[in-house]
Amino acid sequence: MYALVDGNNFYVSCERVFRPDLRDRPVVVLSNNDGCAIARSNEAKAIGIKMGAPWFQIEKLQDELGLVGLSANFPLYADMSDRMMSLAAGLGHRQEIYSIDESFVDVTGIRGDLTERSRKVRSRILQWTGLPTCIGLGPTKTLAKLANHIAKTAERKPDVYPMHHAQVCNLGALSKPELDELLQATDVGDVWGVGRRISAQLIESGVTNALELSKLDPATVKARWSVVLERTVRELQGMQCIDFEDSPEDKKQIACTRSFGQPVTERHHLQEALSEFASRAAEKLRRQNGHAGQVLAFIRTSPFRQNDKQYTRSAVVPLPSPTADTAQIAEAAIAILHAIYKPNFNYAKAGILLLDLQPATRHQYTLDLEDEALHSEARQRLMQTLDIVNKRYGRGTIKLASSGTKTQRSIWQMKQELKTPSYTTNWDELCFVRT
Amino acid sequence: MDNAGRKTVPMNAPLPLNVTPLWVQSLPATVQAGFPSPADDHAITRLDLMEQLIKHPQATFMLRVRGDSMKDAGIMDGSVVLVDKAIQPRNGHVVVACIDNEYLCKYFVQRAGRIRLKAANNTYPDITPKDGQTLEIWGVVVASILQHKC
């Protein structure tokens, strides 16, 4: 038996903990560079704002309907997520953190009324952190996810599902006819793992709801569609097919890419950006105690600026030997930039990917043809020191000179004009309380 | 895997033999085999302020104080208050309340079912929610910290 604990409109809810004035208003949180809506409050959904709506199109609703747009405040969301996750873990004995706002909890073998237990955990998360959640329970991950969808929808639209399933919905506690009724009320496209394309095909062949999907023959589904959809059908039937991953594997690749706040044309600006991205990526790599064998870097113009000449180019270079050294990775990225850069384009995005990742312990020493200093223990200690100092005194306290020395915002940095303070991660940005 | 994410080996798993030769180097020095340290039996953990102040880490937030209406309770302008949202507010607690979409730090006074917010400074009047005004207790202040110049 699994539970899925999911934060409601998570980013908006995090903002509301410190901004009570945002509680009854339509609020959206915007993607990088304040591009489009990536989270919406119920009030924002009610006035018809769609997921992914571009800010420049809905901006005018600020005056008309009191809409509030906020730049994403990831330090805040990450801290609130951590608090929520550690309370959600108390529901069962194993937890898989699935994304910043949802986690599966294995509740197999837990005695007592699971619905009641879930309600208690839900109200504890709300009381302790201020974050509203919904909990769905089911014998498989797909059914737990579906139960969560029901819990969430029943709260907002009581005409679709019975009200008593709002907030906490336990499919495991239902009789077969009750379960079938809920499955029948669920659009096939709302089932976890059914994408938009497959959903359209299913509807065309007469499968419109989750109940009908669950009644298909798995072998036929496999032959006609895919193994993935077969798995979904079996999971809907109550057979566990998707593994529970409570110890996430090391990442197979590490990326750091960003859209710029404004078009960038100069090579030295791109060089600053790529050096910065290389530093971030190398830091992530060291955190999982890995080495990278190859570096990919890319630069591209914006396909949305139709009057601009378009240019996209990427290249991969192997590193002399696998490493997690910031300077070596940045050097590789800059070498790529010099090879692929062309002047007179308005670049909108750049990024780097670290590939061919391997554990640092599996280091293969090359013949001593190159500078020994690069692999020395002193060099590793330097990287450790770098990470410790930056962790303690804030990101960028020590950085490569190639990522720019200016103290003010560089031209290539993100536009985040509507960001709230980092209330829980920066002493200078604490929330004020009047006495 | 343990908490720090290191791979751990189960106790019953076979371990490969270490077949590299062990070189022992003799040192031209003597070692004093003295008394063991008498402190060994008294393993210590140094006092941890965070542990003392924060009972519910997931529910504890820090806010910065503005104003002097709580100065007689030792909560000064510029102090940081530790607010625990897990604690149920009771008469006499210092709380953070939300009224008119603003966070206020006051004494929580409950008498005959009526709630009042009281300052710790005579020059400030009590606050009682008026009709139509909602008062919500956001959390209970468990400590206030004032850092001094140094």
Side-chain angles (χ1 to χ4, degrees):
Chain A
M1 196 71 177
Y2 295 133
L4 180 70
V5 186
D6 186 1
N8 301 353
N9 312 329
F10 185 70
Y11 295 168
V12 173
S13 299
C14 291
E15 298 284 355
R16 282 178 167 170
V17 172
F18 296 95
R19 287 281 303 273
D21 59 302
L22 297 178
R23 275 188 210 171
D24 302 309
R25 302 178 65 168
V27 180
V28 292
V29 171
L30 304 168
S31 61
N32 287 345
N33 296 310
D34 301 342
C36 50
I38 51 171
R40 303 162 296 155
S41 72
N42 288 348
E43 297 79 4
K45 291 173 188 169
I47 60 172
I49 294 174
K50 296 273 173 287
M51 198 64 171
W55 178 236
F56 72 87
Q57 277 176 14
I58 53 175
E59 216 172 354
K60 57 178 184 291
L61 300 177
Q62 289 177 104
D63 296 332
E64 289 170 32
L65 297 165
L67 175 68
V68 177
L70 298 170
S71 308
N73 183 348
F74 285 110
L76 174 66
Y77 310 152
D79 177 54
M80 295 304 288
S81 168
D82 197 55
R83 294 166 188 256
M84 177 178 87
M85 293 300 175
S86 75
L87 293 174
L91 191 56
H93 41 80
R94 285 193 301 163
Q95 182 182 39
E96 174 188 339
I97 294 177
Y98 186 67
S99 70
I100 193 164
D101 61 352
E102 48 188 339
S103 67
F104 287 101
V105 182
D106 185 354
V107 290
T108 311
I110 301 252
R111 272 180 283 176
D113 184 344
L114 280 174
T115 314
E116 196 48 42
R117 187 182 172 91
S118 302
R119 287 201 185 280
K120 279 189 183 140
V121 169
R122 185 192 176 277
S123 74
R124 166 174 283 196
I125 296 174
L126 182 61
Q127 167 82 46
W128 287 33
T129 66
L131 298 171
T133 52
C134 280
I135 303 181
L137 296 125
T140 65
K141 279 172 125 181
T142 304
L143 285 168
K145 189 95 181 164
L146 191 91
N148 188 277
H149 168 78
I150 294 169
K152 212 164 252 183
T153 313
E155 192 172 25
R156 283 205 311 127
K157 305 175 189 159
D159 48 319
V160 183
Y161 301 110
M163 224 3 227
H164 64 271
H165 292 306
Q167 299 177 349
V168 173
C169 171
N170 182 358
L171 296 182
L174 300 181
S175 68
K176 183 80 175 103
E178 284 173 313
L179 176 62
D180 284 356
E181 203 176 312
L182 288 177
L183 290 178
Q184 195 166 18
T186 306
D187 288 343
V188 74
D190 287 333
V191 175
W192 191 40
V194 178
R196 199 179 295 174
R197 204 171 48 84
I198 303 267
S199 143
Q201 289 173 14
L202 283 167
I203 291 169
E204 202 163 292
S205 46
V207 179
T208 59
N209 61 50
L211 182 64
E212 287 161 357
L213 180 62
S214 76
K215 287 190 170 154
L216 293 183
D217 169 44
T220 318
V221 171
K222 186 178 173 183
R224 184 154 169 212
W225 279 284
S226 65
V227 191
V228 181
L229 193 64
E230 181 209 3
R231 214 173 54 174
T232 302
V233 170
R234 286 190 195 278
E235 283 243 323
L236 279 179
Q237 293 168 351
M239 184 200 277
Q240 288 182 6
C241 299
I242 303 175
D243 287 338
F244 195 86
E245 287 161 22
D246 50 351
S247 56
E249 286 188 13
D250 282 344
K251 294 194 184 73
K252 298 280 189 315
Q253 59 180 40
I254 287 174
C256 184
T257 70
R258 295 271 191 287
S259 300
F260 302 136
Q262 52 186 298
V264 172
T265 50
E266 298 298 320
R267 182 162 67 183
H268 68 269
H269 286 138
L270 289 171
Q271 179 169 325
E272 281 180 20
L274 283 173
S275 300
E276 172 70 21
F277 302 163
S279 309
R280 293 279 177 90
E283 201 184 300
K284 284 189 211 170
L285 181 60
R286 290 195 291 272
R287 221 176 294 146
Q288 72 175 48
N289 205 9
H291 279 165
Q294 311 204 28
V295 177
L296 177 151
F298 72 87
I299 49 176
R300 68 169 170 81
T301 52
S302 166
F304 300 107
R305 296 169 65 97
Q306 286 166 357
N307 297 330
D308 282 5
K309 285 182 297 172
Q310 298 291 317
Y311 178 68
T312 299
R313 193 70 194 277
S314 71
V316 180
V317 293
L319 290 157
S321 73
T323 183
D325 190 308
T326 297
Q328 285 189 61
I329 289 168
E331 204 180 321
I334 292 167
I336 295 173
L337 175 69
H338 285 250
I340 64 178
Y341 172 80
K342 281 192 182 167
N344 306 321
F345 284 98
N346 286 327
Y347 294 101
K349 189 171 185 176
I352 89 156
L353 253 81
L354 303 182
L355 310 166
D356 186 18
L357 302 190
Q358 44 197 278
T361 45
R362 213 177 66 199
H363 189 76
Q364 205 172 36
Y365 285 92
T366 46
L367 269 174
D368 199 4
L369 299 173
E370 39 182 320
D371 192 357
E372 174 68 20
L374 287 175
H375 301 294
S376 67
E377 262 181 52
R379 196 71 201 173
Q380 281 183 25
R381 279 209 303 278
L382 177 65
M383 289 300 127
Q384 276 172 13
T385 310
L386 187 83
D387 290 342
I388 292 168
V389 169
N390 284 339
K391 189 168 180 218
R392 180 144 167 204
Y393 296 103
R395 191 173 264 163
T397 304
I398 299 183
K399 59 180 180 176
L400 295 175
S402 57
S403 45
T405 49
K406 283 188 291 270
T407 40
Q408 74 269 41
R409 204 172 136 260
S410 304
I411 180 172
W412 51 270
Q413 273 170 356
M414 278 198 294
K415 205 163 82 181
Q416 284 195 306
E417 285 159 359
L418 310 165
K419 196 170 94 56
T420 51
S422 301
Y423 298 109
T424 61
T425 53
N426 188 334
W427 285 109
D428 296 327
E429 300 183 20
L430 297 183
C431 178
F432 283 104
V433 56
R434 206 159 62 80
T435 68
Chain B
M1 303 273 252
D2 65 11
N3 289 339
R6 285 179 298 253
K7 279 251 153 51
T8 49
V9 180
M11 294 296 282
N12 57 359
L15 286 170
L17 272 180
N18 188 352
V19 289
T20 53
L22 179 68
W23 293 98
V24 181
Q25 194 164 19
S26 61
L27 294 167
T30 55
V31 177
Q32 294 280 340
F35 285 111
S37 162
D40 276 353
D41 288 343
H42 305 272
I44 53 137
T45 19
R46 189 173 297 158
L47 293 176
D48 181 350
L49 188 60
M50 296 299 274
E51 197 187 330
Q52 173 67 17
L53 298 180
I54 299 179
K55 302 294 181 213
H56 308 108
Q58 300 97 334
T60 303
F61 295 90
M62 292 184 240
L63 277 66
R64 175 97 50 199
V65 171
R66 277 235 172 114
D68 61 357
S69 85
M70 290 300 281
K71 73 178 169 67
D72 294 347
I75 302 174
M76 305 301 174
D77 187 36
S79 299
V80 170
V81 282
L82 264 57
V83 186
D84 188 333
K85 283 172 70 63
I87 298 174
Q88 208 59 42
R90 285 211 310 268
N91 210 8
H93 280 168
V94 177
V95 297
V96 169
C98 181
I99 196 161
D100 286 339
N101 290 333
E102 192 186 22
Y103 290 135
L104 280 178
C105 177
K106 299 280 177 190
Y107 275 121
F108 177 82
V109 181
Q110 193 169 25
R111 218 163 267 155
R114 302 260 314 157
I115 292 170
R116 252 179 331 130
L117 296 177
K118 204 170 138 43
N121 182 338
N122 293 334
T123 53
Y124 289 82
D126 293 356
I127 297 172
T128 34
K130 297 182 205 57
D131 283 342
Q133 229 177 8
T134 53
L135 182 147
E136 179 203 317
I137 303 303
W138 194 78
V140 173
V141 174
V142 293
S144 63
I145 297 161
L146 181 65
Q147 281 183 291
H148 301 279
K149 259 195 213 122
C150 57

